[in-house]
Amino acid sequence: MDKMLKFVKKLQKREITEQNIILKIKSSVKGERDRKILEEMANEEGKHYNIWKSYTKVDVKPNYFAINWFVFLSHLLGYTFVIKFLENMTDDFLKDEKTFKKLIELIPEASTILTDELNHKVEFIELIDEERLKFVGSIILGLNDALIGISGTLVGFTFAYQNTHFTAMTTLISGMAAVFSMTSSEYLSSRAEGKPHAVRSGLSTGLAYFSTLVLLILPYCLLPKHMYIEALIIMLAMVFVIILAFNYYISVAKDLPFRRRFLEMAIITSSVMILSFLIGVAVKKFLGVDV
């Protein structure tokens, strides 16, 4: 019984923590519709907390570190991502069927709470319509194009020039041209299709491309000229970290399969880099480029 009481207190702490996270996120959300949805979610968490409290007979303090961390993430990555991430954590937490079976035998209301957590919260989340997620397609376009194009360019230039600073300079020049090209192309495409917020779509694509460009050439800017292999290795590691992080974000925020998307993007990017490596070696050998 003592063990089960500790478990109920853990559930109680979880509910009050999530309620505080949702309420703090709600305070910074502008859309009235999403604010109401978040308020309903917070009220449900509070209702569950009070049910657990009726058995533990004590108040439990929330996890303030978790509250501040997830509120920060909501500003950085969007509140849809954070809410869905919390939901995924809850689903994992509820997978201990043996423990919850015992809990339902002791606390009949636990069955209702589990139903709310598994069904009602999902229904609430499906109603959320965060504006920034409307531009995910534009961001994916800029990120994919930058990862494939810039990484391929860097690999080719690395072996052609064997000079980190010259590689960074030439990649930056060609990359900035691509930033302006991608931004204007996405804007014109969105406008031609009659999509709202064409300017923001173009800027989302351009910003994603530019951010990726800066990250990938950074090792070449910071390392000495002769350390081109080290710069290349760091750049390759960054490429796969970006692919991993971005695909995880999309898989959570948009409920898309993570593994398939990650492998697809990693294989395409790797193929382009291998081809660029061969071209770079060929240029160095047959055209006699020497910097």
Side-chain angles (χ1 to χ4, degrees), residues 257-268:
F258 167 74
R259 187 173 181 180
R260 183 177 64 81
R261 291 180 62 85
F262 170 74
L263 290 174
E264 181 181 56
M265 197 169 177
I267 290 169
I268 292 172

Side-chain angles (χ1 to χ4, degrees), residues 16 24 48 65 74 80 106 136 141 147 183 189-192 197 217 247 251 287:
I16 194 66
K24 282 187 174 290
H48 297 166
F65 174 79
S74 73
T80 302
L106 293 171
V136 164
L141 176 64
L147 280 173
T183 302
S189 175
S190 297
R191 190 169 182 181
H197 310 297
I217 66 170
N247 279 283
S251 70
L287 298 184

Side-chain angles (χ1 to χ4, degrees), residues 3-290:
K3 185 179 179 181
M4 190 56 65
L5 186 61
K6 286 182 180 179
F7 184 68
V8 173
K9 285 182 180 179
K10 191 175 180 180
L11 291 171
Q12 194 178 344
K13 188 180 186 73
R14 191 181 189 89
E15 300 287 2
I16 194 66
T17 299
E18 290 193 9
Q19 183 188 39
N20 276 270
I21 292 170
I22 295 169
L23 286 174
K24 282 187 174 290
I25 289 174
K26 176 208 161 196
S27 66
S28 62
V29 173
K30 294 180 181 179
E32 187 60 32
R33 182 172 175 273
D34 280 5
R35 286 173 62 87
K36 287 181 179 178
I37 294 169
L38 292 171
E39 186 173 0
E40 288 184 47
M41 291 179 69
N43 289 340
E44 190 163 90
E45 300 291 357
K47 182 180 75 174
H48 297 166
Y49 171 84
N50 287 325
I51 292 174
W52 300 130
K53 181 184 172 181
S54 68
Y55 289 91
T56 63
K57 308 299 182 184
V58 294
D59 277 310
V60 177
K61 291 183 179 181
N63 184 333
Y64 293 106
F65 174 79
I67 293 170
N68 292 326
W69 171 246
F70 283 112
V71 171
F72 166 74
L73 282 184
S74 73
H75 292 301
L76 184 67
L77 302 175
Y79 54 88
T80 302
F81 172 81
V82 169
I83 297 298
K84 288 190 175 183
F85 182 82
L86 290 172
E87 174 60 19
N88 290 343
M89 287 177 61
T90 300
D91 288 346
D92 292 339
F93 189 71
L94 298 178
K95 285 179 181 177
D96 188 354
E97 294 181 4
K98 187 177 179 181
T99 301
F100 278 101
K101 188 176 180 180
K102 290 181 180 179
L103 183 64
I104 292 169
E105 290 174 359
L106 293 171
I107 304 175
E109 292 97 326
S111 179
T112 303
I113 293 175
L114 294 181
T115 301
D116 289 344
E117 292 288 353
L118 294 172
N119 298 322
H120 292 179
K121 192 180 285 186
V122 174
E123 292 170 7
F124 285 140
I125 291 171
E126 291 302 316
L127 294 173
I128 293 175
D129 185 27
E130 186 176 3
E131 186 177 4
R132 78 169 67 189
L133 289 182
K134 297 175 183 177
F135 303 98
V136 164
S138 299
I139 295 170
I140 290 174
L141 176 64
L143 187 74
N144 280 353
D145 198 85
L147 280 173
I148 294 170
I150 299 302
S151 62
T153 300
L154 282 168
V155 171
F157 284 164
T158 296
F159 290 99
Y161 299 145
Q162 297 183 8
N163 181 312
T164 58
H165 294 177
F166 199 82
T167 297
M169 180 184 69
T170 51
T171 304
L172 179 62
I173 293 169
S174 61
M176 286 307 300
V179 168
F180 298 130
S181 174
M182 291 294 295
T183 302
S184 58
S185 295
E186 176 64 9
Y187 165 73
L188 292 172
S189 175
S190 297
R191 190 169 182 181
E193 293 174 9
K195 294 179 180 179
H197 310 297
V199 173
R200 190 165 175 184
S201 293
L203 290 176
S204 296
T205 298
L207 184 59
Y209 197 107
F210 176 74
S211 301
T212 308
L213 169 65
V214 171
L215 284 173
L216 295 188
I217 66 170
L218 197 59
Y220 290 85
C221 295
L222 298 178
L223 292 177
K225 295 179 181 180
H226 65 280
M227 296 182 67
Y228 59 92
I229 296 297
E230 290 83 351
L232 176 65
I233 292 170
I234 295 171
M235 185 275 292
L236 294 176
M238 290 176 69
V239 166
F240 287 100
V241 168
I242 292 170
I243 292 173
L244 182 69
F246 183 73
N247 279 283
Y248 179 74
Y249 172 80
I250 293 299
S251 70
V252 173
K254 301 285 284 183
D255 294 319
L256 296 173
F258 167 74
R259 187 173 181 180
R260 183 177 64 81
R261 291 180 62 85
F262 170 74
L263 290 174
E264 181 181 56
M265 197 169 177
I267 290 169
I268 292 172
T269 305
S270 299
S271 300
V272 172
M273 286 192 290
I274 291 169
L275 183 60
S276 299
F277 162 74
L278 296 174
I279 293 172
V281 171
V283 167
K284 179 73 176 176
K285 183 176 181 179
F286 296 109
L287 298 184
V289 175
D290 192 12

